[in-house]
């Protein structure tokens, strides 16, 4: 299929074309990378969706929350795309990609699109090309794009660099969970939702929410936040309670940020971040793709392994070689 035809189908909201486009941008082949760049350029960035990054510890119920929350949004006539990032094995490189099966009801919704993607050992809880997949979903006309991270803990802050709103989902009675996430990921959160606030855990969830709310008040105020944000709330994916209130808070925050210039400013900062990240990744790729550079890396690596050179000195020699090639 020609790129112009694929771009036209994606812009028309064709779900199969969108799936093919995401496969294209996720490909590591050099010719596919060129086609992906051309496709994204052809689609442009005129359409904008609300980008929601969702993170949380394993077992907190991220998939259950997304299904309940996404179904509520589609019930309001909104189109929802879910990009679920699944952890890849560091040994085999494989991923289960089972998120779609856990969202059975939402996956059948004609106004929803769910795409699992492997992290491919990329750090930060997201896949390397997730941001480009988000752009494709926006071009396809989706109103809300939810990025579900792999759920590995407090290092999942990369998703905040591609989302307008960062939601941290936590469980009641998490023990020392607050201590574990209060730095890094918690400082990035715009909204903390304590899930499973139902049944026997309802009172516990209320107390846990109060603990998180108290912890948030100790954090330094961010310029992109109105009074009262970030805040903690209780929700129940099983019963569907608290979801509409959480959505209202998200909308309120986005309206305030748009009116005060933080929305466009943040997106501009994110675009620059990903430009710099692409340059860094391109430079690293040169070390393994160019035979001369790869041979030099192997030579220096053997010297370090044999104790003949310190890692810092070997790295400095490699960088000097790169500068010499550039000059």
């Amino acid at each position: 299929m020609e790129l112009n035809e694929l771009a036209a189908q994606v812009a028309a909201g064709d779900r199969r074309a969108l799936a093919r486009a995401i496969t294209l941008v996720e490909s590591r082949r050099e010719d596919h990378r060129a086609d992906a760049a051309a496709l994204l350029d052809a689609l442009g960035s005129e359409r904008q969706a609300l980008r929601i990054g969702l993170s949380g510890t394993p077992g907190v119920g991220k998939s259950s929350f997304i299904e309940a929350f996404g179904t509520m949004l589609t019930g309001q006539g909104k189109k929802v795309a879910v990009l679920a990032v699944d952890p890849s094995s560091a040994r085999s490189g494989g991923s289960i990609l089972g998120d779609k099966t856990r969202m059975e009801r939402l996956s059948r919704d004609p106004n929803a699109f769910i795409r699992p993607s492997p992290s491919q050992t990329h750090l930060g809880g997201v896949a390397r090309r997730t941001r480009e997949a988000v752009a494709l979903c926006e071009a396809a006309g989706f109103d809300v794009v939810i990025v579900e991270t792999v759920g590995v803990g407090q290092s999942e802050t990369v998703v905040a660099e591609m989302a307008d709103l960062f939601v941290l989902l936590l469980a009641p009675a998490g023990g020392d969970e607050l201590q574990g996430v209060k730095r890094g990921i918690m400082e990035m959160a715009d909204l903390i939702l304590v899930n499973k606030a139902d049944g026997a855990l309802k009172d516990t969830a209320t107390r846990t929410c109060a603990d998180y709310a108290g912890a948030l008040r100790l954090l330094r105020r961010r310029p992109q936040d109105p009074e009262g944000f970030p805040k903690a709330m209780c929700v129940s994916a099983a019963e569907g309670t608290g979801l509409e209130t959480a959505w209202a808070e998200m909308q309120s925050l986005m309206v305030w940020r748009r009116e005060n210039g933080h929305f466009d400013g943040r997106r501009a900062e994110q675009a620059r971040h990903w430009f710099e990240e692409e340059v860094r990744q391109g430079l690293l790729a040169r070390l393994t793709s160019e035979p001369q550079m790869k041979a030099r890396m192997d030579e220096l690596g053997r010297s370090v392994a044999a104790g003949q050179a310190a890692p810092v000195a070997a790295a400095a020699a490699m960088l000097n070689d790169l500068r010499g090639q550039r000059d």
Side-chain angles (χ1 to χ4, degrees):
M1 183 183 296
E2 292 187 1
L3 287 179
N4 289 337
E5 182 183 353
L6 180 60
Q9 291 183 0
V10 170
D14 187 309
R15 293 154 63 99
R16 290 186 179 181
L18 175 59
R20 287 194 294 270
I22 294 177
T23 299
L24 177 64
V25 302
E26 289 180 342
S27 174
R28 296 182 179 182
R29 279 177 44 176
E30 190 172 342
D31 57 332
H32 286 175
R33 292 305 311 144
D35 288 343
L39 175 63
L40 290 165
D41 188 57
L43 288 169
S45 57
E46 294 180 1
R47 293 179 176 177
Q48 287 189 338
L50 174 59
R51 306 171 182 176
I52 301 176
L54 180 71
S55 186
T57 50
V60 74
K62 292 192 295 296
S63 296
S64 299
F65 170 81
I66 290 174
E67 178 165 57
F69 185 68
T71 301
M72 180 198 71
L73 293 179
T74 58
Q76 297 177 3
K78 299 189 179 301
K79 295 183 64 178
V80 179
V82 179
L83 302 176
V85 183
D86 208 47
S88 297
S89 168
R91 177 174 298 178
S92 67
S95 298
I96 297 176
L97 303 179
D99 299 85
K100 195 169 183 176
T101 62
R102 295 202 298 266
M103 305 178 200
E104 184 179 354
R105 184 162 44 114
L106 187 62
S107 64
R108 296 197 302 265
D109 195 313
N111 285 327
F113 173 83
I114 303 175
R115 171 71 180 219
S117 297
S119 66
Q120 297 177 331
T121 68
H122 185 69
L123 299 179
V126 296
R128 182 181 173 188
R129 300 299 174 187
T130 299
R131 184 181 182 277
E132 295 173 13
V134 170
L136 290 173
C137 292
E138 287 187 316
F142 285 91
D143 302 300
V144 179
V145 180
I146 301 173
V147 180
E148 178 194 1
T149 68
V150 300
V152 295
Q154 63 183 11
S155 63
E156 290 182 3
T157 56
V158 175
V159 70
E161 294 296 340
M162 63 180 70
D164 303 315
L165 190 89
F166 185 27
V167 177
L168 180 58
L169 198 66
L170 297 174
D176 62 353
E177 184 179 41
L178 175 61
Q179 180 68 24
V181 302
K182 72 179 181 180
R183 287 290 176 253
I185 194 170
M186 190 167 174
E187 293 176 330
M188 306 294 291
D190 297 304
L191 201 62
I192 291 180
L193 300 179
V194 180
N195 192 25
K196 303 181 181 180
D198 50 61
L201 287 175
K202 188 172 183 178
D203 291 340
T204 305
T206 302
R207 291 193 298 271
T208 304
C209 184
D211 290 339
Y212 288 130
L216 288 173
R217 286 193 291 269
L218 299 177
L219 299 179
R220 181 178 298 177
R221 177 79 178 274
R222 304 178 305 184
Q224 71 268 30
D225 292 332
E227 190 65 34
F229 280 90
K231 62 176 58 179
M233 304 173 57
C234 288
V235 297
S236 169
E239 296 182 350
T241 55
L243 300 180
E244 291 189 1
T245 304
W247 174 236
E249 294 289 355
M250 294 179 195
Q251 291 178 296
S252 173
L253 178 58
M254 287 300 100
V255 168
W256 186 90
R257 286 181 175 174
R258 286 182 184 274
E259 291 177 347
N260 290 271
H262 295 291
F263 183 88
D264 292 335
R266 181 58 180 152
R267 284 214 169 181
E269 290 176 3
Q270 290 175 343
R272 176 158 186 158
H273 168 86
W274 290 107
F275 154 71
E276 294 175 351
E277 180 64 20
E278 195 66 25
V279 172
R280 283 192 290 268
Q281 293 295 333
L283 289 173
L284 289 174
R286 284 187 58 190
L287 300 178
T288 55
S289 61
E290 295 185 8
Q292 184 178 354
M293 289 290 98
K294 188 175 186 302
R296 180 61 170 154
M297 278 283 288
D298 290 340
E299 177 189 348
L300 290 170
R302 288 193 297 269
S303 296
V304 171
Q308 298 169 353
V312 174
M318 188 72 239
L319 292 173
N320 285 333
D321 288 349
L322 283 173
R323 281 193 287 267
Q325 278 208 343
R326 182 189 62 192
D327 298 338

